Amino acid sequence: MIHAFDLLTNPHTQPPDVVAVFGSDVTLRSWVLHQVASDGDVMQVEGEATKWSDLKDELATASLFDFGESKRTIIVRAADPFLSSHRTELEKYVANPGTASRFVLELDSLASNTRLYKALEKDQLLVTCHAGVDAKRGVTASMRQKFICGYLASRHQSKLTKGAAETLVELLGDEIGMIDTEIAKLSLYLDPGATIDESLVREVVAGWQGKTVWQINDAIAAGDASEAMRHLDKLMSGGQPPIALLPQIAWALRRLGTATAVVEHSERIGRKFRLEDSLAAAGFRSNEIQRAKAHLIGLGRERARHLLPWLLEADLRLKGTH
């Protein structure tokens, strides 16, 4: 298995006969599909409307327009329902694939305990397209940062500092398409090859929206729910999707929740602590400590200890029922 970050920055010269591209980041999936299908003719079909009988003959037929080492690629887009309906046929095909055409499945997810996954991992190619930091999927913060500073910045003839990359994730979340779009905008403020730094990101990307997010967090910390809701309504009325707003609002609140967890852990084990040390352990910088301390005191112990479960519940609902 290879991550999309690695494949895009170090592309395979000749992908194998079967490739599965899966994960939650749609932009990464799209770029990977383009990469693996770049050497020949391409045929795309939709998974929900495709039957195995429709593809069997196509996979055995080479394109008349491919020459030399190039090979036609047949892509099943949104292939999750196709996989559910034809798992047995796919397992048989992956065990002994044809060589006339390359076969690519684009999936939202693919369980690692299935026979298909294990067969693909052994002899073919699995490309995971998750941008969120996740140890089980092999995605680290430094790995994502390197991809943003390298691959994304170079797409727009720019350079990017590590601080700028961290700030983009802080403000926008980890959706690669949104980050790429903002880097494209930022590159217009500079000469080709110039460096985008953190101050430019905060000035341009945050703008009035970023200031409003800070006002929301200030209102939450002060216990002023009506003021927080007014600012939130302003952002949503301006076209900001809730799923993009939550990571921005959650950034500071999550750290306050983590600081509270540090305090309560210290109390349970009988260790002396300073509130400033707990805030530093939660990721606040030295110049942010006093403001964060005021926020934590304003929240109070009872509400602060509920921040992490509340934020998790909001995230799950936005990605599920709401």
Side-chain angles (χ1 to χ4, degrees), residues 162-183:
K162 293 180 179 179
E166 291 174 358
T167 305
L168 282 168
V169 174
E170 169 192 335
L171 295 173
L172 302 172
D174 52 29
E175 187 177 332
I176 294 299
M178 291 183 65
I179 295 173
D180 182 64
T181 299
E182 292 304 322
I183 293 174

Side-chain angles (χ1 to χ4, degrees), residues 8-295:
L8 293 168
T9 52
N10 302 290
H12 281 53
T13 54
Q14 186 69 23
D17 295 317
V18 186
V19 181
V21 180
F22 66 99
S24 57
D25 196 290
V26 177
T27 301
L28 284 178
R29 292 199 326 235
S30 175
W31 290 349
V32 168
L33 291 176
H34 181 268
Q35 183 85 341
V36 300
S38 62
D39 65 339
D41 193 20
V42 179
M43 172 184 170
Q44 298 192 48
V45 297
E46 292 298 320
E48 192 170 7
T50 303
K51 304 295 183 186
W52 177 251
S53 56
D54 301 330
L55 290 181
K56 189 167 57 173
D57 290 340
E58 290 288 349
L59 288 168
T61 306
S63 172
L64 297 174
F65 301 100
D66 293 335
F67 303 96
E69 294 184 358
S70 65
K71 180 182 291 191
R72 181 173 68 155
T73 300
I74 298 175
I75 301 174
V76 183
R77 303 296 301 263
D80 298 81
F82 177 78
L83 171 57
S84 298
S85 300
H86 302 287
R87 185 176 295 274
T88 301
E89 292 93 333
L90 287 169
E91 289 172 352
K92 290 180 179 178
Y93 183 82
V94 171
N96 186 27
T99 58
S101 298
R102 182 181 300 114
F103 186 35
V104 180
L105 295 168
E106 183 206 20
L107 302 154
D108 288 333
S109 62
L110 183 60
S112 60
N113 61 351
T114 61
R115 284 186 292 182
L116 182 63
Y117 183 102
K118 293 174 181 178
L120 286 165
E121 186 176 37
K122 180 181 177 183
D123 298 315
Q124 303 300 326
L125 179 62
L126 288 165
V127 186
T128 177
C129 299
H130 299 282
V133 172
D134 189 329
K136 292 182 179 179
R137 293 169 174 155
V139 184
T140 64
S142 61
M143 178 182 175
R144 182 178 61 194
Q145 182 188 87
K146 184 178 179 180
F147 181 77
I148 294 171
C149 292
Y151 185 84
L152 294 191
S154 65
R155 280 170 51 85
H156 307 290
Q157 301 181 53
S158 299
K159 297 177 182 177
L160 202 71
T161 66
K162 293 180 179 179
E166 291 174 358
T167 305
L168 282 168
V169 174
E170 169 192 335
L171 295 173
L172 302 172
D174 52 29
E175 187 177 332
I176 294 299
M178 291 183 65
I179 295 173
D180 182 64
T181 299
E182 292 304 322
I183 293 174
K185 295 177 186 177
L186 290 163
S187 67
L188 300 177
Y189 286 78
L190 303 169
D191 294 328
T195 301
I196 298 168
D197 60 16
E198 182 179 349
S199 62
L200 182 63
V201 172
R202 292 201 178 276
E203 178 184 350
V204 175
V205 178
W208 71 268
Q209 295 173 349
K211 292 175 183 175
T212 307
V213 169
W214 297 334
Q215 290 166 338
I216 290 173
N217 282 329
D218 286 341
I220 291 171
D224 192 344
S226 62
E227 182 69 9
M229 293 298 288
R230 278 195 292 272
H231 288 303
L232 184 60
D233 180 65
K234 180 180 177 182
L235 286 170
M236 294 177 68
S237 298
Q240 289 295 301
I243 201 164
L245 285 173
L246 182 62
Q248 301 175 52
I249 296 170
W251 172 253
L253 297 179
R254 189 182 299 111
R255 291 188 294 171
L256 290 173
T258 302
T260 304
V262 172
V263 168
E264 295 193 330
H265 175 70
S266 298
E267 290 176 343
R268 283 196 298 271
I269 64 176
R271 180 186 299 168
K272 292 184 178 180
F273 69 93
R274 294 171 61 247
L275 190 53
E276 290 82 353
D277 295 335
S278 301
L279 290 164
F284 286 99
R285 300 171 184 171
S286 57
N287 62 333
E288 300 174 319
I289 294 291
Q290 292 308 312
R291 188 164 182 261
K293 182 178 178 181
H295 279 174

